[in-house]
């Protein structure tokens, strides 16, 4: 039986090498995607979100706040606008991502001890840009506000406790695991684990739907056959995993702090569940064209539901449970946590258990699919 | 038996209609695949707004004030304190393992330091490897800070007999009235999902447009039979694409009907311009597929069509601003059929921009169609000229007495 299994493995490897299309899928696609996909995000962040200022007060205080906004790394004051109409126009023309509005008597109110509000109108289309511009405006206003308050409170006799009243607490925001908030650092590791899945699905699907030349090994049962096939796919899987988690992130400067072996312990059930799913895809779709279309079209939805582009909390609970059937939904999360965030295996034990369960279920389904296919072929052969 | 056959656009259109339903992958691509993809994604955006993002608190002070502060933070709809942690290691483990997106640390002697005017520092550790969720947590904390300061300040100001109004002015002298324009609720469905529709449809439309041509070319590379039926290659391509166009319009219509009715996507601008831009987008996506089909003339045309469009979401400028893109991405985005449609779509739905502001993008859509049509025409002319030459060559080498094509 082992020699028959080994023959199947050799057969699959031979097809990978000889069928140019399959070789192109396994090797070429990840290289092309590696070059193409991350390009929009290579700058990582938008430095200096362009904003405008409508200053109806035009006093030393408003000018100081404007200078402070401009000096921050998050925003740049690119135009001063005479009124709100002009600001809206600039916003519609996409010349600015938001504008600050200082009303008349802004300084007078502030120095008079009243609250003196300013308004920030930001384009919330890009949440990241909006929060960046808002943070710049907010910290500039806070700085001037506290300075003014402290002076006034001191005059009121607060003395040394003026600061405590004006700014009783301070807040420190520490972003962890992607401190520079790089977009590529955020997207690339997740996206390439998804691309790995789609390539492996497509490659395994192709291998099992292309016209068979000499698939005559019927002396072994479906279990052994499925096992042999899945073992043979470990070679392209290891290559894809290495490309997706090491080469591509390194090219784009995405840091990796996780240990190799911890990553591998997730990679094995992840790849196994995908490869088994690929065998099931082949049984369902039957033709290479249908496999290709399915893999092309499923990639995008699978990526969005991985909980990376938007928080999983946006999804309904039942849906969150249902999508665990897709290996990437759990595999991406677990791998990113281990590779990029240095999580230990016990931190992601639940995700690993899900992947192992998926592997077992898909493995059994793949065995059933292959068994049925072999029986059908045998029936065709005897009737033919 | 009939000796003369009718030819022309009507005949080829009927033939294509019949074949459309027989070619399972084709009609799947033009109908239920994009609808299924949209339905799947739409469900995933069901709540639209991220609420109750899990965070933890590490309360090293554990006083009445620190507990009140925790309660204040928990009251924010964006975040929810799901657990208390007792040291930084536990905090780190919770972030790493995914139980929480962030941890708020209240330092030891927090209340005492406030009383003494030492300005104790509260720290938020938030996970920016999960950038979108992490930023939401940071924004929620930033928004709740003035209220926390007011709460904390209570201890210091009470002894000085300040009024509440004076206290508020002291702690927050310049309140910021923030107006998140065009998407005040930060609803993911209004931007991301509305943009994903374009990404999904440009992929399936282009694949269907390419496939409908390839399926004939695979059997008859020079399209001789259908060209004869249609009285020319232009009629053949038009008939094939007309069917894809009609179904694509229906699919886009259904998706947008759901966006406007179920997801409350506002239509602030011109419905007419939105419709015109949508139709141009569908045509542009079809032409993208036709280009690859005519260029490669085989199944292999599906590979570049899918490979360029399946991961093209980033190039559309929906999730990441175009202002921040690299030169290559900006240049390459002009190849993507949905690129010029996106600004018109957002202008005329969410942004409510006057029509004039969408016109540059609308014109870009027209230019895209003109250029790609011209390229396709040149490719077809070259292909047919070659095929005509080879036909003539075949005729000259054919045995005498063979009738030529009329």
């Amino acid at each position: 039986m082992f020699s028959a299994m080994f023959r199947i493995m050799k057969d699959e490897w031979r097809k990978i090498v000889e069928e140019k299309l399959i070789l192109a899928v396994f090797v070429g696609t990840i290289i092309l995607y590696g070059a193409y996909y991350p390009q929009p995000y290579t700058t990582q962040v938008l430095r200096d979100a362009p904003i405008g200022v409508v200053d109806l007060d035009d006093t030393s205080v408003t000018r100081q706040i404007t200078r402070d906004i401009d000096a921050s790394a998050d925003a740049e004051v690119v135009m001063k606008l005479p009124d709100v109409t002009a600001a809206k126009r600039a916003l519609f023309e996409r010349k600015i991502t938001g504008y600050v509005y200082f009303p008349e008597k802004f300084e007078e109110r502030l120095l008079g001890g009243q609250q003196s509000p300013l308004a920030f109108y930001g384009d919330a289309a890009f949440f990241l840009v909006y929060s960046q511009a808002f943070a710049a405006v907010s910290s500039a206003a806070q700085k001037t506000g506290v300075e003014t308050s402290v002076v006034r409170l001191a005059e009121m006799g607060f003395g040394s406790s003026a600061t405590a009243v004006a700014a009783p607490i301070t807040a420190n925001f520490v972003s962890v695991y992607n401190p520079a908030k790089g977009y590529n650092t955020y997207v690339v590791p997740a996206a390439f684990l998804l691309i790995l899945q789609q390539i492996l699905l497509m490659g395994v699907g192709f291998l099992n739907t292309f016209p068979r030349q000499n698939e005559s090994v019927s002396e072994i049962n479906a279990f052994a056959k499925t096992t042999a096939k899945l073992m043979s796919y470990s070679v392209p899987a290891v290559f894809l995993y290495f490309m997706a988690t090491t080469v591509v992130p390194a090219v784009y400067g995405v840091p990796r702090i996780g240990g190799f072996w911890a990553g591998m312990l997730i990679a094995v059930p992840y790849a196994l569940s995908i490869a088994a799913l690929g065998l099931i895809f082949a049984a369902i779709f039957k033709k290479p064209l249908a496999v290709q279309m399915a893999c092309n079209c499923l990639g995008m939805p699978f990526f969005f539901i991985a909980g990376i582009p938007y928080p999983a909390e946006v999804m309904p609970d039942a849906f969150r449970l249902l999508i665990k059937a897709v290996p990437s939904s759990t595999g991406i999360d677990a791998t990113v946590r281990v590779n990029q965030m240095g999580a230990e295996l016990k931190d992601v034990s639940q995700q690993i258990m899900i992947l192992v369960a998926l592997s077992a279920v898909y493995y059994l389904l793949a065995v059933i699919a292959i068994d049925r296919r072999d029986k059908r072929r045998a029936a065709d052969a005897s009737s033919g | 038996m009939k000796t003369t056959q009718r030819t022309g656009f009507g005949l080829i259109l009927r033939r294509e209609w019949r074949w459309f339903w027989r070619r399972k992958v084709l009609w799947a691509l033009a109908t239920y695949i994009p609808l299924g993809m949209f339905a799947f994604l739409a469900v995933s955006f069901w709540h639209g707004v991220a609420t109750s993002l899990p965070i933890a608190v590490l309360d090293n002070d554990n006083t009445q004030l620190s507990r009140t502060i925790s309660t204040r933070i928990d009251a924010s709809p964006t975040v929810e304190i799901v657990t208390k942690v007792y040291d930084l290691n536990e905090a780190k483990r919770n972030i790493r393992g995914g139980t929480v997106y962030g941890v708020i640390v209240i330092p030891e002697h927090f209340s005492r330091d406030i009383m003494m005017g030492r300005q104790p520092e509260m720290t938020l550790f938030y996970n920016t490897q999960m950038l979108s969720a992490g930023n939401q947590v940071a924004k929620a904390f930033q928004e709740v800070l003035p209220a926390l300061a007011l709460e904390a300040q209570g201890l210091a100001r009470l002894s000085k007999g300040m009024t509440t109004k004076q206290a508020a002015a002291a702690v927050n002298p310049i309140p910021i009235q923030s107006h998140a324009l065009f998407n005040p609720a930060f609803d993911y469905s209004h931007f991301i999902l509305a943009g994903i529709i374009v990404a999904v449809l440009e992929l399936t439309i282009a694949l269907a447009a390419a496939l409908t041509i390839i399926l004939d070319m695979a059997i008859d590379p020079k399209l001789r039979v259908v060209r004869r039926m249609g009285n020319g290659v232009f009629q053949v391509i038009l008939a094939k694409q007309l069917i894809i166009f009609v179904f694509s319009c229906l699919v886009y219509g259904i998706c947008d009907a759901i966006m406007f009715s179920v997801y409350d996507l506002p239509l602030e601008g011109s419905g007419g311009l939105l419709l015109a831009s949508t139709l141009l987008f569908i045509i542009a996506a079809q032409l993208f597929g036709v280009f690859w089909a005519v260029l490669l003339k085989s199944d292999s045309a599906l590979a570049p069509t899918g490979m360029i469009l399946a991961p093209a979401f980033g190039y559309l400028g929906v999730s990441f601003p175009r202002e921040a893109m690299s030169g290559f991405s900006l240049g390459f985005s002009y190849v993507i059929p949905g690129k010029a449609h996106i600004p018109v779509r957002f202008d005329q739905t969410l942004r409510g921009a006057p029509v004039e502001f969408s016109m540059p993008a609308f014109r870009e859509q027209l230019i895209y169609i003109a250029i790609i049509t011209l390229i396709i025409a040149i490719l077809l002319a070259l292909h047919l000229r070659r095929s005509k030459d080879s036909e003539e060559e075949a005729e000259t080498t054919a045995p005498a007495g063979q009738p030529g094509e009329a």
Side-chain angles (χ1 to χ4, degrees):
Chain A
M1 187 173 81
F2 287 112
S3 65
M5 282 175 72
F6 189 62
R7 217 160 41 240
I8 291 176
M9 288 170 68
K10 272 203 324 200
D11 195 35
E12 296 296 299
W13 286 330
R14 188 179 49 74
K15 275 184 284 182
I16 293 173
V17 178
E18 286 177 4
E19 290 276 3
K20 281 186 188 144
L21 183 63
I22 296 178
L23 191 65
V25 166
F26 279 132
V27 181
T29 316
I30 190 105
I31 295 171
L32 278 173
Y33 272 25
Y36 172 62
Y37 179 84
Q39 287 305 322
Y41 319 122
T42 47
T43 53
Q44 292 267 28
V45 285
L46 174 68
R47 301 258 173 241
D48 286 333
I51 63 171
V53 170
V54 180
D55 189 352
L56 301 186
D57 197 39
D58 199 21
T59 53
S60 59
V61 171
T62 59
R63 286 193 292 270
Q64 181 59 48
I65 294 176
T66 304
R67 276 195 297 275
D68 286 340
I69 296 170
D70 195 41
S72 84
D74 286 333
E76 183 185 1
V77 178
V78 291
M79 51 177 74
K80 290 200 171 180
L81 299 144
D83 51 37
V84 170
T85 313
K88 277 186 180 164
R89 195 178 170 83
L91 205 58
F92 282 139
E93 287 173 338
R94 295 186 165 80
K95 287 180 179 163
I96 53 172
T97 58
Y99 62 92
V100 179
Y101 175 82
F102 293 105
E104 284 173 350
K105 299 186 179 169
F106 176 83
E107 189 186 61
E108 193 184 307
R109 262 196 298 271
L110 184 69
L111 299 180
Q114 298 173 47
Q115 276 195 322
S116 182
L118 64 78
F120 173 66
Y121 295 83
D123 180 349
F126 298 104
F127 176 69
L128 301 178
V129 180
Y130 177 86
S131 38
Q132 196 177 317
F134 177 75
V137 174
S138 174
S139 68
Q142 175 77 5
K143 179 174 164 268
T144 303
V146 169
E147 282 167 7
T148 319
S149 250
V150 168
V151 171
R152 204 165 37 77
L153 287 166
E155 285 168 4
M156 283 168 71
F158 274 78
S160 59
S161 61
T163 313
V165 176
I169 50 172
T170 56
N172 186 18
F173 291 77
V174 183
S175 54
V176 290
Y177 302 118
N178 175 14
K181 299 185 188 175
Y183 208 84
N184 248 351
T185 307
Y186 155 61
V187 163
V188 162
F192 276 84
L193 286 160
L194 186 272
I195 288 168
L196 175 162
Q197 169 179 275
Q198 297 311 102
I199 293 175
L200 199 52
L201 277 177
M202 195 187 286
V204 173
F206 277 177
L207 278 167
N208 290 277
T209 50
F210 272 17
R212 320 259 81 193
Q213 288 94 16
N214 52 0
E215 175 136 342
S216 54
V217 196
S218 54
E219 69 266 33
I220 58 169
N221 61 36
F223 261 112
K225 201 176 211 176
T226 309
T227 309
K229 277 176 180 276
L230 290 175
M231 281 167 71
S232 71
Y233 305 145
S234 63
V235 174
V238 165
F239 167 74
L240 289 170
Y241 183 79
F242 176 66
M243 290 294 289
T245 59
T246 307
V247 177
V248 177
V251 167
Y252 291 96
V254 174
R256 177 183 163 154
I257 56 174
F260 174 79
W261 292 110
M264 284 311 286
L265 272 174
I266 299 169
V268 171
Y270 183 47
L272 184 62
S273 56
I274 297 168
L277 188 60
L279 289 173
I280 299 165
F281 264 37
I284 294 171
F285 296 111
K286 296 187 176 69
K287 288 182 179 165
L289 179 66
V291 169
Q292 188 184 353
M293 291 299 111
C295 293
N296 266 331
C297 295
L298 288 172
M300 215 183 308
F302 283 175
F303 178 63
F304 281 106
I305 57 162
I308 304 281
Y310 48 91
E313 282 71 17
V314 173
M315 304 172 199
D317 290 343
F319 184 81
R320 283 172 74 178
L321 205 65
L322 191 73
I323 58 172
K324 295 224 185 296
V326 183
S328 55
S329 301
T330 309
I332 290 178
D333 185 66
T335 312
V336 168
R337 286 185 190 285
V338 167
N339 286 352
Q340 267 64 47
M341 296 166 61
E344 292 168 20
L345 285 176
K346 63 177 182 225
D347 296 330
V348 291
S349 55
Q350 200 191 354
Q351 287 97 319
I352 294 176
M353 267 152 61
I354 292 172
L355 287 173
V356 170
L358 282 183
S359 301
V361 172
Y362 289 150
Y363 175 74
L364 284 175
L365 289 174
V367 170
I368 294 169
I370 285 188
D371 187 47
R372 284 177 58 178
R373 192 193 64 180
D374 282 356
K375 280 182 181 149
R376 202 171 49 240
R377 279 188 181 163
D380 288 349
S382 61
S383 66
Chain B
M1 197 178 159
K2 268 202 286 189
T3 50
T4 54
Q5 256 193 335
R6 280 190 308 122
T7 59
F9 184 68
L11 183 72
I12 192 73
L13 189 61
R14 275 197 296 278
R15 183 252 185 199
E16 287 304 319
W17 179 257
R18 278 196 308 276
W19 277 98
F20 176 76
W21 295 105
R22 286 187 208 170
R23 291 163 165 170
K24 278 184 198 165
V25 178
L26 182 62
W27 71 262
L29 264 177
T31 55
Y32 70 79
I33 288 179
L35 283 174
M37 285 166 78
F38 172 72
F40 185 79
L41 285 161
V43 172
S44 81
F45 281 93
W46 187 250
H47 296 305
V49 181
T51 53
S52 303
L53 296 174
I55 59 167
V57 67
L58 168 55
D59 186 354
N60 286 325
D61 190 41
N62 203 19
T63 56
Q64 178 65 37
L65 177 66
S66 70
R67 285 190 290 272
T68 310
I69 293 246
S70 294
T71 313
R72 287 255 178 206
I73 296 167
D74 198 34
S76 157
T78 310
V79 293
E80 184 185 347
I81 297 174
V82 292
T83 181
K84 277 187 175 185
V85 290
Y86 296 95
D87 59 51
L88 278 176
N89 271 335
E90 198 186 348
K92 194 173 167 186
R93 258 203 319 279
N94 273 277
I95 296 182
R96 267 190 338 207
T99 325
V100 296
Y101 291 112
V103 177
I104 288 170
V105 181
I106 302 175
E108 239 180 312
H109 312 306
F110 179 71
S111 304
R112 192 194 67 190
D113 287 352
I114 287 173
M115 288 283 279
M116 298 174 79
R118 286 181 181 163
Q119 292 183 294
E121 184 178 76
M122 288 179 74
T123 305
L124 168 72
F125 293 97
Y126 61 112
N127 182 0
T128 41
Q129 184 61 50
M130 309 292 165
L131 191 57
S132 187
N135 271 332
Q136 291 264 15
V137 168
K139 179 173 161 278
F141 184 52
Q142 189 159 32
E143 280 172 351
V144 82
L145 273 175
L148 301 187
L150 200 59
E151 195 75 50
Q153 185 212 39
L155 293 175
R157 71 179 158 88
L158 278 176
S159 57
K160 298 285 177 183
M162 279 176 100
T163 64
T164 315
K165 206 172 171 185
Q166 281 173 321
V171 80
N172 193 16
I174 309 178
I176 300 177
Q177 297 167 346
S178 60
H179 302 267
L181 299 173
F182 317 133
N183 188 15
F186 292 102
D187 191 322
Y188 283 96
S189 72
H190 287 181
F191 268 96
I192 310 271
L193 182 58
I196 291 177
I197 294 179
V198 176
V200 164
L201 289 185
E202 74 178 355
L203 172 67
T204 56
I205 292 171
L207 286 172
L211 190 62
T212 184
I213 292 176
I214 289 164
L215 287 171
D216 274 317
M217 276 188 162
I219 306 161
D220 177 12
K222 311 289 183 195
L223 295 174
R224 281 199 188 96
V225 178
V226 281
R227 264 164 56 208
R228 214 172 298 149
M229 284 174 82
N231 244 352
V233 73
F234 174 74
Q235 285 88 328
V236 173
I237 291 183
L238 188 66
K240 283 176 175 294
Q241 298 305 322
L242 191 61
I243 293 167
I244 305 295
F245 179 74
V246 169
F247 280 99
S248 302
C249 289
L250 271 173
V251 169
Y252 203 138
I254 292 170
C255 294
D256 259 4
I258 294 170
M259 284 307 301
F260 288 122
S261 60
V262 181
Y263 288 85
D264 297 325
L265 179 72
L267 179 62
E268 302 282 358
S270 155
L273 181 61
L274 180 66
L275 179 66
S277 173
T278 304
L279 298 180
L280 290 186
F281 157 69
I282 292 171
I283 294 169
Q286 286 185 255
L287 289 170
F288 185 85
V290 173
F291 164 78
W292 286 105
V294 170
L295 184 73
L296 299 176
K297 305 174 200 74
S298 70
D299 282 9
S300 56
L302 298 173
T305 310
M307 280 193 59
I308 293 173
L309 296 184
F313 185 68
Y315 287 83
L316 289 176
V318 174
S319 55
F320 190 69
R322 288 182 59 76
E323 292 84 357
M325 284 186 196
S326 65
F328 167 81
S329 320
L330 284 175
F332 193 81
S333 67
Y334 284 92
V335 171
I336 312 294
K339 180 253 164 191
H341 173 53
I342 285 284
V344 184
R345 179 170 170 79
F346 286 143
D347 276 354
Q348 300 309 318
T349 53
L350 287 168
R351 293 166 69 95
V355 167
E356 58 182 291
F357 294 103
S358 293
M359 288 321 284
F362 187 73
R363 275 194 292 274
E364 196 186 309
Q365 286 190 278
L366 289 169
I367 293 168
Y368 182 95
I369 289 173
I371 291 175
I372 199 165
T373 306
L374 186 70
I375 296 171
I376 292 168
I378 293 169
L379 285 173
L380 273 174
L382 288 173
H383 175 55
L384 295 181
R385 205 171 122 195
R386 274 201 301 273
S387 65
K388 200 175 167 193
D389 289 347
S390 59
E391 276 167 28
E392 279 169 7
E393 206 174 289
E395 274 171 33
T396 51
T397 54
Q402 286 271 335
E405 272 183 40

